[in-house]
Every structure is written in C-alpha cells, then in structure tokens.
Amino acid sequence: MSTPVVTEEEIRERIASGLINPAPRRSKYNTHWWTDPETGRQNIRQLAMLCYGGKEALFGGKPGGGKSGFLVMWACQYLDIPGSATLLLRKTWPQLSKAGGLIDITRSWLAPWKDCWNEQKRLFTMPGGGTLQFGHCENEADKYNYQGDEYQRIGFDELTQFTESVYDYILTRLRRKAGLDIPLQVRCASNPGNIGHQWVKQKFILSGDPQCAFIPSSLEDNPFLDQASYRQQLEAIKDPVLRKQMLEGDWDVEGSGGWFEKDWFEKVIQLPKTDFQVRSWDIGGGIKRKDGRDSDPSVGTLWTRDKAGIFYVKDQIFFRATPGETENRIERAMIVDEKEMKTLTIEEKPPGEAGIAREETRHKRFAGHWYRLQGSQKSKEERALAMSSSAQVGQIKFWAKRGQTWIDPCLQEIVLFGTHGVPDNRVDSMSLGYNALAFHRGPVIVRSGQLDPREIERSLLHNRSAVDSLGRIKRR
C-alpha cells in the first residue's frame, strides 16, 4: 500500500465542506501561527492539523515541513485556560533541549512571558492559565515517571523513536476534571524510519481508524524554510532507504537490515529446567558524550539453553552509568544470577591498551565470580550471523514472564539491526552471549576457590550435538 498523499487542494476542500474547522482556537500565547499576516505566507498542512478535532493525529513525512513548530502552536492553544495541562515529549533530554528543539522554539515564542519558565522543572506556568510541561522517555521504564500525572493534551515529537508500549502508557495520562472544557487530544510529529516505524505506520496510516488522522508533511509546504538548500542536504544522504524516507517522506520503504524477523522469536511463559546460564555484556561509554549527546548504553543479556538445543533469552539489563557504577551493576547482576544457578559472566574486551587495562581491573574486582573478558576481530554482523541462523529456524525464544518491559524494545532493535542510525547495543550483547553458549572453545578465566574450568567447559558445551563440525547450527 502506498503512502497516502493529501494535497493542498484536498485540505481546502475539506475546510470548505466543513469536514475540518477553518478557524482553530488561538489563545493569546499563540504568538506564531500557520499564516504570517505581514507576508501572507501560509503552511496549509499546519492549518489542517490545528483544525482537526479527533483524538489522535500524526503530522509526518518529509523533514522541514514545520512539524515541531506545529506542536508548539498546538500546545499553546489552551494555555490561557486555568487548570489546563499540556505535555510535550521527545525521546531524550538532549533532543528536547538542543538549539531548534521544542524547548528552544517555545521559549523564543513565549519570550514575553519568560518569567513563567521554570528551568529545573522544564515547565511553563502561565499567569491565571495552564501549564506546559516538557519531558522525555528514553528508556522503557521511564514511562512510569508520568504515573499519576494528568494532561488534557499530549504531544510526541519524532514518534517513531518511541515504542508502542511507551505511547500506550503515556496515553493513560490523558484525562480531565469534570467541567474543564478542553478537548482531550494527542498530536504527534515524525519522519518515517527508526524503531517505531512499523507500529506508527499501522496505527496512523493503515488502520483506517477515524480517530487517528494522518496528514503528510512536506518541506515544499513550509514557506518559512530555505527549501532549495535543505533539499540539497537531503539529496546528499548516501543510505538509499534513509534518503527515500527523508526526501520523499516514504512510509513504505523500510529500513530493516534483513538479519532478523520479529516472528522468528517466540515468547514463552514457562522455562525448561536448565543448570547453566551466561550473562553477556556490551559496555557503553558512560552517560554523556563531549557534545552533550547520550553515550551508548550498557546492555547485559542473560541466556540459557536446554538439552534440545533451544536458546532462551531470560533477561536484559539496559542502562547508562559512570564506569564505576557500571562495575557495581555488573557485580550486582552476578550475585543475583549466581544465586539462581551456575552463571558465567562474559564481557567484550576492548581493543588495545583499553582492553589490557580493563582486564586487569575487572579480574581484581570480580575475583570469586565466574567471569571472562573476550576479544574478537570479527565485525558486528559476523558476530550476529550464527544467532540469526538459529533464530530463523525457531531455536531462540524469549522468556516473557510477568512484568517484563524490555522484550518489545529489544525485538524492535533486533529487527532493525543493520539499519542506518539504529542502535545495535542490544544485538551486540546478545550475539556475544549466544556465541558463548553455542561455539565456545577457549579457556574460561576462573579465580581462586571456584569450580574446575573443565566443569564450566562441559556446561557450556553440554549439547554440542546441535552444532555441526563447522560450528554451524544444525537444521531440524
């Protein structure tokens, strides 16, 4: 199904026929609008979004169409009403606070009310009016930071960066007190691509739900933008999938890396009895980079394997922390895992001097635990190849015990592995642990007072019958 196109003529026809209101509400805080009275310049698609009265709507497609500006206009429509509460969300705090981001645009447009801004709370509280809160939801568990909150209007910028479960939970915060005459609305802006591409496309473009409108955005509709120079920038994108998504706003071209499919992975409630497991770590780079962006996260995946050669992903830990706190969290996971059953903790060894230094500090810190630091000369794709083959024949399952929140984000990242701009930390962690269980032949570093290395070796290789002489997974 091709991405629907709504022309300017169609939008004007809908306004003329009364399908959408031609005069959206405008409060005194709407200092910027879809039309410039001095120049007469108009963004007709921003008008269509402001006029739409349904519950949920997506303004999406090409970049440069004025999507972020629309969200701020929409957020200010009811700021003059006492008791009104609006929430604008982005995935991360640096995205929210960067130059040209939502906070930057809003503070510029609401400059006459600069004293109403609370930097610490990231909140505008208007005199005699409502509130405009800015937030982020980087990790799956961050959605619970909004538990108990109440908003009448919720906006998501770059919706495809969010998981569907985060979106659904945040919408439970959409409510109002009796007598408060403010429409309950959710408005989203996004380009195609990223981890949420599939569910966003299904919900807003393919479902046909009359309460989930979709208006495609286009840089050609934004008269306030230097369109020629921005188009040149988009045309220079090398990745063909990303270029088509950005330049044409194409929701049909998908950035799947072709390594994994979601339906390869079964979710199970019951685990078979096993006696050995591996926790594999892909270590990130702290909390922030020098440029202020978030560093790569640390991910620890817990694997086990039954006698039939089926691999089970039991748990996955995902966080950003300082190097010292990262060590603490690894050790805490070791203690919990080892109480359950025999557990080998394995970590990828950095190249060069960094690897030598980490080996020295880790072995001192983790003395008394089963731990191995493993180097590899293979690429990320080469390391993931065996896991992909095993998943394709149904040999990898996820333990979906009650309360697990990490599985859906993990699967979304797995399916997009190899796609431009999509994180691969979860897959790196998983392939390290999978390969340890399936193909391990090297020595295990064991500290004093532990089991004989041969016993660990036997545990790792207790079902080598599932692997052929070349180290490949046997087809069943």
Side-chain angles (χ1 to χ4, degrees), residues 29-47:
Y29 300 115
N30 284 117
T31 58
H32 289 65
W33 208 227
W34 68 278
T35 182
D36 187 334
E38 295 183 2
T39 64
R41 294 181 298 181
Q42 299 177 337
N43 188 327
I44 194 69
R45 294 177 193 267
Q46 285 182 340
L47 170 63

Side-chain angles (χ1 to χ4, degrees), residues 53-118:
K55 179 183 175 184
E56 299 169 74
L58 171 66
F59 192 26
K62 303 178 188 180
K67 297 187 294 296
S68 296
F70 153 72
L71 281 176
V72 177
M73 295 177 200
W74 172 81
C76 292
Q77 281 185 293
Y78 288 85
L79 266 182
D80 59 329
I81 302 297
S84 70
T86 300
L87 172 67
L88 291 182
L89 288 164
R90 275 221 66 171
K91 176 75 170 178
T92 71
W93 168 244
Q95 293 169 342
L96 193 64
S97 58
K98 68 181 180 180
L102 290 178
I103 289 180
D104 188 48
I105 294 172
T106 308
R107 294 188 67 179
S108 172
W109 291 4
L110 295 181
W113 299 276
K114 62 181 180 180
D115 293 340
C116 299
W117 171 248
N118 186 311

